[in-house]
């Protein structure tokens, strides 16, 4: 990846590196019940933008200044995708959102049954924490850095992070009336894993504490912008490009940013959050901040 | 804990230390939805023998020779109890064993609903990995040791470990005909967390690689002995002491060791596994192996 490609190409390259690493991420020598392995891989390989891995890789590149930081970053990029995937499997369960399809494919429990879907999710979540020590064993990062990444992931994916956001979303369904309640949900349900991704990438690249804080601010802001943009696309997006029906939020009576503050103010908010995110990156004085800045813009300009 | 108390007293002291540490294990300052915190603590504080934490503490003491290794071991002792607790919550779910009661209390999903029980389990599992780095931050162990413990836990609690055993149990229900199939289930469903406990304790106490392997052998054997003893007690135990009905395995058509190899051979097997476990500990040349040896005997002699 020496040539300077446009951001879409860069994200595609990051996604391809991630796909390859994901295929090798569960050791073939492990004696795992075959059906469990299938259930884990079914959802893991179901695609998606691989945005979080790309953020880990690009944050490592921003701080370190070279894509050679990618090697140490790839096991961690896989780890965040394991967490993201488990959360989707559990979210889709009958007791939760009860979804039959995700990305055009039957959801995990529709294929493997509810019990296996719960266990496959548990196994994916657990395995994320097996991948991070690998980054240290491969010599890319110190044990101290790997341990800090483990602690960050456990916090940002756990009760005070992603799971907490999921709970708040569940408990608040239909009853949300203020922007601060909705922001709490999105900050934890969506932004926290994005904050993890950019700060983990930063740690791998050798960021200072101050730089890690600025990366966290970048992550919080693009995470929130990403979520509001999702709400906007659901309202006015192109169904063909999105690959799903629009207006589903309205039909499901979901409380969204456009619902609470209107479409124009939502768009303005996305713009403000993106600018705020980019300021944080510029303030950090990274070796090569370009990819992070491009990703911030890309997330707003995307049409799917 | 300077005085040499009998093993039952020692296990009670370990359990009390664990209870105290568990109460402080989710930071009070964390902004966690109150209902989620309640659901996590409900099952975490529901008692149980706290056997796995005791094994961590006693293995650390065996290797290090003093109970002063307890301080560094306590966050890890909590971590294993978080994992054990999440596995019970998910096992009890309607899609799994569909149990309404555990240890005389309504199961988590009966109190908090299915969705919250799934999420509380996810949060407990995730938080286990937040506790281990704490042991390093408190200065008790190096980052390298903490990271090795993280990796062990993720393997032994994950797809090739506890979750794999759970899946094999689920897929094999009623169809198990060989002792090797049943052994696979118990080795992973029960022994793996016990292997984790004694090897983690060993790592904290400063064990050599050879000693860690011997501790793993000890753990595998007492884990299996523990499970067979459970099967035996279900068949011939005292309902009052057990606090639950006997013969439930027969009524549920569960395949057990006594069912496959008979009661007498099961008892002999428990005896053999216990001796094998004790030999491994004696071979390791620990500073103070007494507690581990006593626990191995205690697990066989217990009547509840």
């Amino acid at each position: 990846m020496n040539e300077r490609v446009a951001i879409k190409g860069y994200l595609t390259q990051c996604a391809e590196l991630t796909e390859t690493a994901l295929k090798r991420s569960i050791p073939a020598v492990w004696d795992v019940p075959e059906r469990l392995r299938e259930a884990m891989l079914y959802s893991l390989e179901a695609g998606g933008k691989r945005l979080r891995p790309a953020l880990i890789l690009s944050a490592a590149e921003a701080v370190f200044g070279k894509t050679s930081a990618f090697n140490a970053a790839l096991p961690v990029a896989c780890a965040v995708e394991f967490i993201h995937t488990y959360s989707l499997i559990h979210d889709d369960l009958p007791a939760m959102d009860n979804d039959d399809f995700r990305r055009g494919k039957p959801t995990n429990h529709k294929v493997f049954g509810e019990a296996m879907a719960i266990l496959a999710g548990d196994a994916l979540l657990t395995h994320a924490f097996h991948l991070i020590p690998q980054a240290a064993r491969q010599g890319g990062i110190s044990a101290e850095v790997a341990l800090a990444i483990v602690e960050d992931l456990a916090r940002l994916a756990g009760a005070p992070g992603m799971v907490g956001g999921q709970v708040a979303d569940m408990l608040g369904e239909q009853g949300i009336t203020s922007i601060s309640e909705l922001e709490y949900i999105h900050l934890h349900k969506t932004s926290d894993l994005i904050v993890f991704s950019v700060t983990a990438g930063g740690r791998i690249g050798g960021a200072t504490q101050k730089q890690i804080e600025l990366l966290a601010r970048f992550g919080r802001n693009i995470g929130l912008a990403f979520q509001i943009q999702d709400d906007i696309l659901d309202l006015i997006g192109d169904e063909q490009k999105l690959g799903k029906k629009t207006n589903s939020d309205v039909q499901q009576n979901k409380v969204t940013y456009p619902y609470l503050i209107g479409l124009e103010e939502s768009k303005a908010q996305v713009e403000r959050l993106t600018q705020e995110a980019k300021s944080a990156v510029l303030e950090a004085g990274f070796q090569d901040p370009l990819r992070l800045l491009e990703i911030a813009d890309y997330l707003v300009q995307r049409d799917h």
Side-chain angles (χ1 to χ4, degrees), chain A:
Chain A
M1 292 180 68
N2 290 318
E3 283 169 55
R4 189 53 99 168
V5 297
I7 185 63
K8 271 189 101 158
Y10 178 84
L11 290 173
T12 304
Q13 288 176 334
C14 287
E16 283 167 1
L17 284 171
T18 304
E19 299 293 341
T20 307
L22 281 174
K23 279 188 208 311
R24 291 191 297 242
S25 56
I26 305 172
V29 295
W30 274 2
D31 186 14
V32 173
E34 200 42 45
R35 195 75 180 148
L36 172 60
R37 199 185 278 265
E38 279 172 33
M40 292 168 77
L41 292 174
Y42 176 80
S43 293
L44 204 56
E45 295 177 350
K49 300 184 191 75
R50 310 297 189 197
L51 172 66
R52 292 158 195 80
L55 284 168
I56 294 182
L57 298 174
S58 53
E61 181 183 349
V63 178
F64 194 68
K66 301 195 194 77
T67 55
S68 55
F70 278 12
N71 277 341
L74 269 172
V76 183
C78 287
V80 79
E81 210 58 15
F82 270 69
I83 295 284
H84 180 54
T85 303
Y86 113 76
S87 78
L88 299 180
I89 295 176
H90 281 190
D91 279 8
D92 288 338
L93 285 167
M96 310 271 280
D97 290 351
N98 194 22
D99 278 319
D100 292 351
F101 288 91
R102 172 165 301 271
R103 293 173 190 144
K105 288 174 69 178
T107 44
N108 199 288
H109 66 272
K110 292 306 274 185
V111 179
F112 297 93
E114 231 180 297
M116 185 64 94
I118 295 169
L119 291 166
D122 293 344
L124 288 165
L125 160 49
T126 309
H127 194 60
F129 292 96
H130 196 266
L131 289 162
I132 298 170
Q134 286 182 20
R137 200 142 30 74
Q138 289 170 7
I141 52 172
S142 70
E144 283 77 10
V145 168
L147 203 60
I149 293 173
V150 164
E151 195 169 6
D152 285 349
L153 181 58
R155 190 182 74 255
L156 291 164
M162 187 184 70
V163 174
Q166 181 66 24
V167 168
D169 191 15
M170 185 180 80
L171 295 177
E173 263 164 22
Q174 273 117 65
I176 298 163
T177 50
S178 75
I179 199 75
S180 70
E181 287 172 90
L182 190 58
E183 199 175 278
Y184 177 93
I185 292 168
H186 292 327
L187 273 180
H188 293 295
K189 208 177 147 173
T190 306
S191 285
D192 276 349
L193 266 202
I194 289 177
V195 169
F196 167 76
S197 301
V198 289
T199 53
R203 286 191 194 279
I204 293 164
T208 63
Q209 190 53 41
K210 176 73 186 161
Q211 287 177 323
I212 288 167
E213 282 160 25
L214 288 164
L215 281 167
R217 199 205 296 172
F218 172 79
R220 259 192 308 279
N221 285 305
I222 62 165
L224 211 48
F226 179 81
Q227 188 59 53
I228 302 175
Q229 183 67 10
D230 249 17
D231 289 355
I232 294 171
L233 286 173
D234 185 81
L235 207 62
I236 60 163
D238 182 323
E239 291 191 354
Q240 287 250 296
K241 287 180 183 159
L242 285 169
K244 61 180 178 187
K245 291 232 175 292
T246 53
N247 269 310
S248 68
D249 291 342
V250 176
Q251 276 157 28
Q252 291 170 49
N253 286 316
K254 269 179 70 175
V255 177
T256 65
Y257 273 80
Y259 173 87
L260 283 181
I261 60 174
L263 184 59
E264 287 316 305
E265 179 52 25
S266 296
K267 286 182 182 173
Q269 184 72 356
V270 167
E271 186 53 38
R272 267 197 301 274
L273 290 163
T274 306
Q275 288 312 320
E276 173 71 12
K278 288 161 75 177
S279 310
V281 160
L282 288 170
E283 194 184 324
F286 293 133
Q287 300 270 339
D288 187 358
L290 193 63
R291 292 309 188 187
L292 289 179
L293 298 173
E294 287 177 340
I295 289 176
D297 282 330
Y298 171 80
L299 292 181
V300 198
Q301 287 149 13
R302 77 197 158 97
D303 52 14
H304 67 285

